[in-house]
Each structure stands twice: as structure tokens, then as C-alpha cells.
Amino acid sequence: MMVLLALVALATTFIGKGVQDKDTRNVVTGITLGSTSNSYYDQPQIVILPSGVWVCVLTSGPDKEGQPSENVYIQYSHDFGKTWGTNQGSPGNGEIRPLEPEHPYGPPAAWVNPLLTSYGRLYIAYTYNIQNITTMPGSQVHRRSDTVGIQAMRYSDDGGITWSERFEMPTDVKDIDKNNELHGAAKEGWSVGKPFTVTQGGKSVTYFQFCKRACGLLNPSQCPASQKIHAEYVPMQEFVIVSDNIDYEKNVSKLHFSTEPTGPVGLLSKADNLTEEGNLIPLPNFGDVYYTMRTFDGYVGVAHYINGIWTDKLRAMYREGRPGSMSLKQPNGPLSPRKFTLSNGDDVYLLLYYNRGLPDATGQASWGLRNPYWLVAGWDSNNSNHIEWGQPEVILYELSSSARLGYPDLFRDENGRYYATETDKVTARLHPLDSTLVENLIHQGTNSVPLPPAEKDYKNPPSSFPSPPLPDVANGEGLTMYIQMEFGENLNMLKTTSTNVSFFNCGDALDLTYVADEGTVTIKVTDGIETWSLTSDDDLVPAHGNHSLLFNIDGAGKLMHVMIDGFLCDGGLSRGQGFFFNPVAKLGKLSAETCSINSNGFRLTQIQTFARSLSTSEMLRVTNQ
């Protein structure tokens, strides 16, 4: 049996020495939002006014998250996000302005989201603990209370200089409200989803994401015993606040609001145990929406509203044809989807998420795995109102073992450039995203992604040949290597005589091992002191048929990836993630004089090397050449 095996290996971002402070994916290269006056920053969201002024709203406070002093703030930028401040019409002064009077003893205000109407009015919506409930009845113990209260709103008709009085966005009372730890005396809930408006034929509908919570903020002991492991997080349910006239009605007393779904129970995840911090995006048919949400399932939770019917307990799915796991993986952390219309009129969806679902000690997806952030593009499948997602790319990372990136926004400016915001709860940042990475994601799988030229192309090399230059990983250098190999008839013999076959190596620096009974390939690289290792998803390299494998080592981001048959591994059904990431790794210069092929059943037919990193989209392009 002849098996063709194409191995594309070792891709990293090559920028040169000091790349960690030059790589735009590294969050330290971002633009700092907020100011030095507070110690906590969360959920930065940006809208661009018709005047060209950028407005950022964010949750912040002088104390840690959840304290009574928590408040909602605003900043402006007049230079496309380069500098920020409180002054309209002048350069940024690096300060923030509170949108509620500052309140060291409450009531807390938090989780602010902006909405810009078609006629230029700027709304903000946020949770406001109007009763200033910070303790349980009969207790003097102050607990976190920044998701207790009403959904408050204010508006500005002058770009955020002056603001209306606070008024309430009504939300229907649901079963989860009646049965919460306060016995319905106050609602618990908040929103991290950026609202949006869709219009068609003179009609408009505006959608606000909202999550209701039953217990855990004030008194976790009130949660059912089965939920105490994660009492702070469950139970929760997702809802949508819908307005059919906020985009044009200027009299706020005449605004219409309704809560979806209309029944007593909200939208749930597949496993029912956590559904929170969702985000909405419009589907092609007017009025239909796609709802992504944070779960403990280890996957991106999804619900959708199509033709007047809500369907929940779904998951975000890759394009059809992917082997193994078809669902996008996600730990218990915030994500951000957005819809964009391209210059040719086509729509594309982009999703910021974590691409990993490793369980914690309880067997559920951990909330701590929030680094790096990945970006993936999605498309409506044959106008069926169903989004299929492509292959993701690392878009943001932090070289810290304790980093937890989260609560992002994703938007595009008037010049067509894409941006993301994120926060680690201490520092909030704005990031101009790598335009080539984003455009290649949008056009992934097509010839619009340029085929990168190979630096060297070896045809039918001997069993031993000079090693191509290997990277100094510590300095962020990288190498992409594309290898085609044929396994002869005695490949089947390998399965009976040895489960591990080292079939390609470059000295001690690089080793590729085939594990026949698992159908995997493992790549190991070492500088003699430190070793990185990554194994492909199970059963993707069976001992028959044709296969292509791509291995990617990212020296700048301290990452390593593997792609098989055009599919970037995500861990499949047996592993929580499909990539290697060690933000504090110290792997140095890889060195080898020769590379060797295992002649026992292997015939090398081609090697291509590249002197820079290939993105996920470029690796797919090389696979399909």
C-alpha cells in the first residue's frame, strides 16, 4: 500500500531580534485605554461617531472588580484611536470621565454597552444597582453586587459631551428572577454584548444581549448543592432585549422594549450548567439572529432565532467535512462575534475566541485559559442562515503565565481596518489588527490568499541532506517546512513491529514521529536544554490514503501548531486543545547539520522551506497548491 504523506512543518512569525515588542499580536504593543487614576478596567467598547470622533465606554473603578465604587466611564479619541482623553475637540489627555456620579459606597454601575442610532444619537446601557444592595438581608457582609439591579440607559445628542437623565430599559420578569437569591426583590443580570440595529424596507430592529443570574453574587450558599462547585457562575440564562423603534424614535418615553424568548425560561447551553456573557450578530434574513455564549461545556455555545423560532443548546460549528471534532472549542471565557459587509457587498463574520476547551479539576472547561485570543472567519452556508466557521489564527497573545485576556470588542474603522480591544482587568488596550492576517482569514480557502514562495525546494532528496537554516526561537525567528513523503508497503509492518516510528529528523533539534496505532504524528524540537512537543489529533493520519501535515512553531508567540489534510488541529475528541503554548518558554537556537529520512518504508519526494512564518490561511494555501 502506497501512502503519500505531506509534511508542512515549523512555521513561526519571523520579525527578527526583539520581535516580542514589535509583533502586533503581542498585547503589549497595543494602545492603552483608561487612565492611571483607577486600578480596574473592563469591557472596553468603541463606536465611531459621524464626526469621526472615536468613543470608548468601559467599566472601571479605583478598587477591584465588584466593589461598590465600580462605575461606567467614557473616553474620546480624535486621532483614530492613537490617544484618548476626556476632551472633545482636542488631543487626548489620558483621562476618563464617569457617566454616573462617583460613588465610593455605591450604588455600583457596570457593564456598559454603546449604541449609535442612524440619526447620530449615542445611547449607553448598563447594569445599575439602584437599590444599592450589597449585602443579604440580615447580614453585614458585603459581597460583589455589580450585576444586581436594573438595566439603565442614558443618551447623548452631542457625541457624549452632555447626557440625559438615567432611565430604565425594562426587562420582563422570568422564572429565574422570581427564584433568585433575593426572592425577586431585585433582578440580577448584566450584558457584555454590543447592541446592533438591522434595517430593511423602512423597518428597523435593535437587539441588546442580556444575561439573567439567579444566585452566587451575594450569597453562594443559596445555590442548589449540585451547583456549589461553580456557585459563582450558575444558574444563568441568556435573553435578548428587542426594540423596534429606538433607531428613530427620539422621545424615550415612547420607546418599545420586549424580552426574548417570551416564555418563562431563557436560552441555555447544551449541558444546561452555564449560559452567560453572550453576543448577538444578525443573520442574512431580516430579524434572524445568531447568539454565541460562554459555557462550561468546553465549546462555543450557540442559539439562533430563525423564522420566529428560538433554538438553543447548539454549538458553533466548523465548515462541513472536518474530521473529528466539528465544534469550536472555548473555555469558560468571553468571546466576541461581529458581522462585516465587504466592499463587494458580501457579508463575513469574525469571531474572537480561545480555541481551547481544556477541563479543570472538576471536569469542566476552565475559566483560566484566556490566552491567546484567536480570530476565525465565518460565512453563511448557502443562504441557509447557518454560519460555518473556517480555520482560526492567533491574533492576540501575552507572554505571561498569569495573563487572562478578555471582554473584547471587534470593529472596523472608516478606512476598512479592523481593530480589537481586550482587558486583563488591570489594563485595557486597543489593537490595530494585522491587515494581512484578517484579509487572508476572510478569503481563506481561495486563490485570493497569495501562495507564499518557497525559499528552497528540494525534489527527491537523498536519505541524508544538509539541514536548512533552523530558527533562533528565543528571538522570534521561524521556519516553515513542507515535506512530501511516501510510505511503502511495509508501512503496515510498522504497525505490527513498532507503534512509534521516528521517520524524519534534523540532528537532535527536530524529530517527527509517527504513532501508527493512534494515527498521529508528534513533532519535537529542542535546543538541547528545553524541548517543545505537540501531537496531532488522533486518527487523522491512518496508515492508508494520502495525507498532508503542517507543523507550525511560532517563536514570537511561543506557539506550535499542526495542520493535517488542511485542518488545523484543535485537540479533537481526546485533547482539550490542538496547539502548544508556553508564554514563558525559553527555547533558543535550533541547530543541525543534516536531516535524515527513515528509509524503512519511507521515501522523501519533496521538501520546501520558507524563511518566515506562514499564517493558518497561508498553510492551507500551501496544502492546496
Side-chain angles (χ1 to χ4, degrees):
M1 179 181 298
M2 299 298 296
V3 179
L4 174 66
L5 188 62
L7 294 168
V8 180
L10 309 179
T12 76
T13 300
F14 174 73
I15 303 177
K17 293 184 177 180
V19 326
Q20 283 80 8
D21 58 3
K22 297 178 182 179
D23 184 358
T24 57
R25 300 172 305 159
N26 190 333
V27 296
V28 300
T29 67
I31 300 162
T32 300
L33 301 168
S35 72
T36 58
S37 58
N38 283 343
S39 59
Y40 159 67
Y41 288 97
D42 216 339
Q43 199 172 312
Q45 295 193 359
I46 292 174
V47 293
I48 300 175
L49 303 179
S51 64
V53 174
W54 292 24
V55 175
C56 177
V57 296
L58 65 168
T59 298
S60 182
D63 303 310
K64 67 180 183 179
E65 179 179 5
Q67 298 303 301
S69 58
E70 197 166 310
N71 205 348
V72 293
Y73 293 83
I74 191 169
Q75 282 188 304
Y76 316 93
S77 175
H78 301 270
D79 52 12
F80 303 100
K82 295 182 179 66
T83 61
W84 293 85
T86 56
N87 298 325
Q88 277 274 20
S90 62
N93 58 9
E95 298 300 322
I96 55 177
R97 180 159 69 92
L99 294 172
E100 285 285 346
E102 294 185 310
H103 41 258
Y105 304 105
W111 320 119
V112 59
N113 301 284
L115 173 70
L116 186 64
T117 68
S118 60
Y119 63 91
R121 173 174 286 181
L122 177 63
Y123 282 96
I124 55 169
Y126 54 100
T127 299
Y128 185 65
N129 190 341
I130 194 168
Q131 298 170 268
N132 202 23
I133 300 173
T134 60
T135 65
M136 290 295 292
S139 172
Q140 299 300 313
V141 179
H142 288 273
R143 296 185 182 272
R144 178 175 180 175
S145 55
D146 55 352
T147 63
V148 177
I150 66 170
Q151 274 297 101
M153 297 191 78
R154 294 180 186 265
Y155 70 84
S156 173
D157 287 325
D158 54 14
I161 298 174
T162 60
W163 290 88
S164 72
E165 294 297 317
R166 182 193 326 113
F167 65 97
E168 183 177 357
M169 175 197 291
T171 63
D172 293 352
V173 175
K174 302 292 184 178
D175 283 357
I176 194 170
D177 298 310
K178 299 174 185 177
N179 299 318
N180 69 17
E181 61 193 336
L182 300 171
H183 308 292
K187 297 175 183 176
E188 296 191 27
W190 78 110
S191 173
V192 304
K194 200 174 189 180
F196 65 87
T197 299
V198 293
T199 59
Q200 179 176 299
K203 297 181 180 180
S204 67
V205 184
T206 302
Y207 299 88
F208 299 83
Q209 174 269 336
F210 191 66
C211 176
K212 289 178 179 281
R213 172 177 239 159
C215 67
L217 286 183
L218 296 173
N219 189 5
S221 66
Q222 295 294 310
C223 292
S226 62
Q227 298 165 347
K228 285 184 179 179
I229 291 178
H230 293 289
E232 184 180 354
Y233 297 104
V234 290
M236 303 181 207
Q237 297 168 12
E238 289 289 342
F239 294 87
V240 185
I241 313 302
V242 183
S243 175
D244 62 5
N245 69 345
I246 195 172
D247 192 55
Y248 63 84
E249 177 57 62
K250 297 182 180 180
N251 185 340
V252 297
S253 67
K254 297 181 179 180
L255 295 180
H256 304 157
F257 294 100
S258 62
T259 304
E260 293 282 348
T262 57
V265 178
L267 303 170
L268 301 172
S269 69
K270 194 174 183 68
D272 284 351
N273 60 352
L274 174 77
T275 310
E276 67 163 329
E277 295 188 342
N279 258 281
L280 290 154
I281 46 178
L283 289 168
N285 292 344
F286 179 73
D288 293 350
V289 295
Y290 183 92
Y291 204 151
T292 64
M293 56 196 70
R294 171 179 169 180
T295 77
F296 265 134
D297 303 349
Y299 298 93
V300 177
V302 166
H304 55 59
Y305 183 77
I306 296 176
N307 297 325
I309 299 174
W310 280 105
T311 305
D312 61 357
K313 301 186 179 183
L314 305 174
R315 289 172 176 167
M317 305 296 287
Y318 290 107
R319 282 176 163 173
E320 291 185 6
R322 181 184 178 91
S325 172
M326 282 291 295
S327 303
L328 272 65
K329 293 187 175 181
Q330 173 79 354
N332 178 9
L335 64 166
S336 180
R338 297 288 184 266
K339 175 186 174 182
F340 298 99
T341 299
L342 306 179
S343 58
N344 63 1
D346 292 343
D347 291 330
V348 68
Y349 301 90
L350 295 177
L351 173 67
L352 271 172
Y353 76 121
Y354 298 106
N355 191 31
R356 66 200 313 188
L358 277 174
D360 62 15
T362 69
Q364 295 175 310
S366 172
W367 53 263
L369 302 173
R370 300 185 185 180
N371 184 27
Y373 256 131
W374 295 66
L375 188 67
V376 65
W379 304 268
D380 176 41
S381 174
N382 300 317
N383 296 316
S384 64
N385 264 8
H386 173 67
I387 299 176
E388 292 185 339
W389 299 97
Q391 312 263 6
E393 185 78 58
V394 170
I395 201 73
L396 293 172
Y397 65 80
E398 182 172 354
L399 296 181
S400 166
S401 58
S402 61
R404 293 179 61 216
L405 312 180
Y407 299 93
D409 188 13
L410 187 61
F411 68 98
R412 186 175 61 188
D413 71 10
E414 51 267 53
N415 297 315
R417 182 158 193 184
Y418 295 88
Y419 295 78
T421 66
E422 52 76 30
T423 177
D424 61 4
K425 305 283 188 174
V426 176
T427 303
R429 297 183 178 98
L430 168 67
H431 304 278
L433 300 181
D434 186 302
S435 296
T436 300
L437 285 180
V438 177
E439 290 298 326
N440 283 349
L441 281 172
I442 291 172
H443 299 288
Q444 190 177 87
T446 72
N447 290 340
S448 296
V449 178
L451 179 65
E455 182 184 41
K456 294 184 180 296
D457 191 350
Y458 304 96
K459 299 288 181 64
N460 297 313
S463 60
S464 180
F465 57 93
S467 171
L470 299 179
D472 187 343
V473 178
N475 282 333
E477 295 180 1
L479 173 74
T480 301
M481 186 180 295
Y482 177 75
I483 307 175
Q484 290 184 339
M485 299 186 69
E486 291 182 353
F487 285 85
E489 294 181 359
N490 54 354
L491 176 62
N492 286 332
M493 180 187 69
L494 296 173
K495 195 166 185 178
T496 59
T497 59
S498 174
T499 57
N500 298 345
V501 179
S502 176
F503 63 92
F504 178 76
N505 65 76
C506 294
D508 294 329
L510 165 67
D511 179 81
L512 299 177
T513 298
Y514 179 61
V515 183
D517 53 357
E518 296 179 359
T520 63
V521 171
T522 296
I523 179 172
K524 291 184 180 180
V525 293
T526 182
D527 60 1
I529 299 175
E530 183 170 296
T531 299
W532 294 4
S533 178
L534 179 65
T535 299
S536 65
D537 296 353
D538 288 353
D539 301 320
L540 295 188
V541 192
H544 58 80
N546 299 331
H547 305 286
S548 73
L549 284 72
L550 298 90
F551 291 91
N552 179 318
I553 300 171
D554 185 335
K558 312 300 183 186
L559 291 147
M560 187 157 59
H561 313 87
V562 54
M563 179 181 281
I564 297 177
D565 293 339
F567 298 105
L568 192 70
C569 290
D570 70 352
L573 300 175
S574 60
R575 297 179 183 87
Q577 67 186 56
F579 64 96
F580 170 93
F581 177 54
N582 183 354
V584 296
K586 300 184 183 300
L587 186 68
K589 180 73 171 73
L590 306 181
S591 300
E593 295 184 358
T594 59
C595 296
S596 301
I597 313 301
N598 183 342
S599 60
N600 182 19
F602 293 84
R603 186 173 71 86
L604 190 66
T605 60
Q606 185 179 15
I607 294 178
Q608 289 182 328
T609 63
F610 303 81
R612 63 169 183 86
S613 170
L614 298 188
S615 68
T616 300
S617 301
E618 288 176 315
M619 290 195 294
L620 183 60
R621 183 73 173 86
V622 170
T623 304
N624 296 332
Q625 63 180 310

